[in-house]
Amino acid sequence: MPERAHQLTGISINILAIPSYYFRGSLVHAIVTPRQLAHLLRVVKLEDLPRKAIAIIMKTDKYVPISDFYAGRSIFITGGTGFLGIVLIEKLLYGCPDIGNIYILVREKKGVSPAERVKNLVNSPVFERLKTDKPENLKKIIPVIGDLTELNLGISTQDLQILYDEVSVVFHLAATIKFNEPLSVAVKINVGGTEEVIKLCQNMKNIEVFVYMSTIFSNTDHERKTIVEKLYPSPKHMDEVYRMIEENDPKETFSPEVLCGRPNTYTFTKALAENIVAEKRGSLPTVMIRPSVVTPVKDEPAKGWIANWMGPTPILTLLAKGWVRGLYGENEFTFEIIPVDYVVNMTIIAAARQNRSKVLSIYHSCSTADNPLTVLNAKINYLKESSKHNFNELPFPGLIFTTSNWLLFIIAFIFQTIPAYLGDLVLYLSGRPIRYIKMLKKLELCVSTLKYFSSRCWAMKASRAQELIGTLNEQDKKKFPCNPRDINWEEYMATYFNGVNKYLINRSS
């Protein structure tokens, strides 16, 4: 920020020229335009002012690039080894090259040490361009051993002090995303873990913004048809939630009625966590991002990259193979997805533009609000690409959407169950392992898990997100693309298919 000092009648006046969006929530002596400042310097009796040194903030229209906000600032990330986290780390290191260190919370998982997990992270295809263009930035990734479920996140006293002294921005992405997670486990991770991250932030000397990653489906229930960028009331008081856990078997599957209209413990605990963030953050500058279903990379860092089989990916894959012939729903229902790079870019932008505001800023990263994709068009475009690669195992893959359970049963029996038994019979007679019936059982579980969402349609609004995008100059819009209006769905569904084929199917084979 440019600074000029004026010496008048022995009194020092510091004039800071800073962009107007820095002022939200700031306490300053005065905010003036250049013309007002000139007038002030002509007529004010400085000896009458109560202080010997005054700060005058001169409002300017100077644009500060997003990457400049991160220059020299160190970051702490939870969930850095997950799908979103990997792309976020790469984009920060590549798109904001002057960033400080990036500390990531890592625990041992399935016998893999934290150091090994970080090594595996860097070996991801996502980091190929960083290794080629800016390999020195990989040294900025620093693992912090800990666990989201423990007090102080299980971080050592020495590492805690480093975070307290150095970190300015915190991204809390970590969560359990299993729909059927026992309520006690989901609460401990998604709610308790969030509380611990907030406590950590409040001890940081230089904290500028805390970013909480929620989900747009945390506030979808039987009655609410429109979801806007605001904080919704908590579905239950936490005392009542803990009482539910004590009185019920942790392995019990809770119904939407018990979970206040939420279909699973994931969306229920994310709704609880949103309110914990609002309640516990105090004066901590906070941003909340609500993405819809996060899907493969659209553009960069690795086009089509996808890390797992979550969400609609298994159903789309089996659709292309010809094994899915009927689903509950209607052709015009929206297919609410958003590319992972769009979510990450929105997150980076929102953090940079929070400007120490005391207002809880909530932004939706979704497609329905500005560029809706129907399930019919998603099906058509996905099959269009898969047919070019002769991907199908059964002839003439196709899909019917219907709200008739009887029709679904008949379609499944004729076009899915019978071919599966015949296929396994051929495999058995030829001495090969049978697999098709087992595959159908997994498909049935996946379809039943997602039925709540595929059988409903909500109006997702994202006006505040569009306002935020509108503050960017053209260079930052190109550098951090996140506007769903720019997505060509025919091209993207082709990218989706090719990404699954390249990064999931071919990798596993």
Side-chain angles (χ1 to χ4, degrees):
M1 293 180 290
E3 181 174 330
R4 292 178 291 148
H6 288 253
Q7 294 290 333
L8 294 177
T9 64
I11 297 176
S12 174
I13 304 176
N14 294 318
I15 303 170
L16 305 179
I18 28 184
S20 58
Y21 48 73
Y22 277 136
F23 300 123
R24 190 171 50 167
S26 299
L27 295 175
V28 297
H29 290 103
I31 302 173
V32 297
T33 64
R35 179 175 295 181
Q36 290 170 328
L37 176 62
H39 177 73
L40 175 66
L41 294 176
R42 285 199 305 270
V43 303
V44 71
K45 294 181 179 180
L46 295 177
E47 62 270 17
D48 294 336
L49 295 174
R51 300 187 180 186
K52 288 291 181 179
I54 60 173
I56 298 177
I57 308 299
M58 184 170 66
K59 186 175 180 180
T60 74
D61 294 325
K62 181 182 178 182
Y63 182 84
V64 177
I66 295 299
S67 60
D68 283 12
F69 169 80
Y70 291 96
R73 288 180 168 89
S74 288
I75 314 296
F76 177 64
I77 300 176
T78 72
T81 57
F83 183 34
L84 269 169
I86 291 172
V87 180
L88 175 62
I89 292 170
E90 196 280 342
K91 186 66 179 184
L92 286 171
L93 291 173
Y94 194 88
C96 309
D98 296 324
I99 196 169
N101 292 325
I102 297 183
Y103 298 94
I104 59 173
L105 186 71
V106 189
R107 63 182 174 89
E108 184 175 310
K109 185 176 182 181
K110 297 180 180 179
V112 182
S113 68
E116 191 67 23
R117 293 186 68 193
V118 172
K119 183 179 178 181
N120 293 339
L121 179 150
V122 174
N123 287 334
S124 163
V126 169
F127 287 89
E128 288 303 316
R129 67 171 183 172
L130 191 65
K131 290 177 181 178
T132 301
D133 299 340
K134 304 168 186 177
E136 67 282 357
N137 272 7
L138 289 170
K139 298 178 182 177
K140 296 180 179 182
I141 303 175
I142 301 176
V144 175
I145 298 175
D147 192 316
L148 201 64
T149 63
E150 296 182 16
L151 183 67
N152 293 325
L153 303 177
I155 301 173
S156 69
T157 303
Q158 182 179 358
D159 285 345
L160 279 175
Q161 194 58 53
I162 293 173
L163 298 180
Y164 293 160
D165 292 341
E166 295 188 14
V167 170
S168 301
V169 181
V170 174
F171 295 98
H172 178 36
L173 313 183
T176 174
I177 58 176
K178 295 178 182 177
F179 283 4
N180 59 348
E181 193 80 87
L183 183 60
S184 58
V185 177
V187 167
K188 190 172 186 179
I189 297 173
N190 293 348
V191 182
T194 300
E195 284 194 70
E196 289 301 317
V197 175
I198 292 173
K199 291 177 186 176
L200 179 73
C201 292
Q202 291 169 336
N203 284 308
M204 291 176 174
K205 299 175 183 178
N206 304 307
I207 188 68
E208 296 201 34
V209 60
F210 164 60
V211 181
Y212 173 67
M213 185 65 66
S214 186
T215 169
I216 205 166
F217 297 103
S218 61
N219 298 291
T220 53
D221 57 30
H222 293 321
E223 299 178 358
R224 191 174 291 131
K225 302 300 181 185
T226 302
I227 312 298
V228 299
E229 294 158 303
K230 73 172 187 178
L231 183 70
Y232 288 92
S234 181
K236 281 187 187 295
H237 192 277
M238 285 307 302
D239 290 341
E240 190 175 355
V241 174
Y242 289 127
R243 188 164 56 250
M244 285 169 56
I245 294 172
E246 291 174 1
E247 295 175 353
N248 292 277
D249 183 341
K251 294 182 180 179
E252 180 180 345
T253 301
F254 289 89
S255 65
E257 288 71 28
V258 176
L259 300 178
C260 303
R262 273 69 174 182
N264 51 61
T265 55
Y266 168 64
T267 55
F268 178 69
T269 53
K270 293 298 277 186
L272 295 174
E274 285 194 359
N275 282 269
I276 288 294
V277 169
E279 176 187 341
K280 302 287 186 179
R281 71 186 184 94
S283 60
L284 183 67
T286 304
V287 171
M288 189 179 294
I289 306 293
R290 291 187 186 139
S292 55
V293 178
V294 184
T295 48
V297 172
K298 177 182 177 289
D299 296 311
E300 57 175 19
K303 189 173 183 177
W305 183 77
I306 183 171
N308 53 54
W309 287 98
M310 302 299 289
T313 301
I315 296 177
L316 287 171
T317 302
L318 292 177
L319 161 66
K321 286 184 175 294
W323 287 104
V324 180
R325 298 289 179 163
L327 286 177
Y328 192 97
E330 297 180 10
N331 286 334
E332 298 309 311
F333 279 1
T334 51
F335 192 52
E336 184 52 84
I337 60 174
I338 191 75
V340 61
D341 45 332
Y342 275 43
V343 179
V344 162
N345 290 334
M346 170 63 71
T347 303
I348 292 172
I349 292 165
R353 290 294 187 253
Q354 180 64 1
N355 305 318
R356 294 181 178 271
S357 171
K358 294 182 179 180
V359 177
L360 173 60
S361 299
I362 301 175
Y363 300 102
H364 286 175
S365 181
C366 61
S367 56
T368 297
D370 299 288
N371 187 11
L373 170 68
T374 65
V375 292
L376 176 63
N377 285 332
K379 174 199 76 172
I380 291 172
N381 291 325
Y382 202 85
L383 288 177
K384 181 178 180 180
E385 182 65 21
S386 66
S387 65
K388 297 177 183 177
H389 300 265
N390 298 316
F391 189 74
N392 58 299
E393 293 178 342
L394 297 179
F396 310 113
L399 180 63
I400 294 175
F401 293 100
T402 178
T403 55
S404 169
N405 286 316
W406 275 107
L407 182 56
L408 280 176
F409 174 80
I410 294 170
I411 292 173
F413 182 75
I414 296 175
F415 296 105
Q416 295 174 195
T417 306
I418 292 177
Y421 274 100
L422 291 174
D424 275 349
L425 177 61
V426 171
L427 290 175
Y428 176 77
L429 293 175
S430 61
R432 289 177 289 173
I434 60 175
R435 62 187 180 93
Y436 293 115
I437 296 300
K438 184 179 180 180
M439 177 197 67
L440 280 190
K441 288 181 178 179
K442 290 183 178 180
L443 172 63
E444 289 171 6
L445 179 61
C446 183
V447 169
S448 64
T449 301
L450 297 176
K451 184 178 178 181
Y452 179 90
F453 303 102
S454 64
S455 62
R456 290 169 174 81
C457 194
W458 292 274
M460 309 298 191
K461 303 298 181 181
S463 58
R464 296 196 73 249
Q466 284 296 326
E467 290 174 7
L468 180 65
I469 294 170
T471 66
L472 303 179
N473 65 11
E474 290 305 312
Q475 184 177 356
D476 271 344
K477 285 180 181 178
K478 292 178 180 178
K479 192 174 185 180
F480 301 96
C482 58
N483 195 338
R485 295 174 181 174
D486 298 331
I487 301 174
N488 179 309
W489 288 116
E490 182 177 355
E491 293 177 0
Y492 179 70
M493 293 309 292
T495 298
Y496 196 151
F497 168 80
N498 289 310
V500 171
N501 205 21
K502 178 178 181 179
Y503 295 108
L504 295 182
I505 296 174
N506 289 342
R507 182 184 65 187
S508 61
S509 61

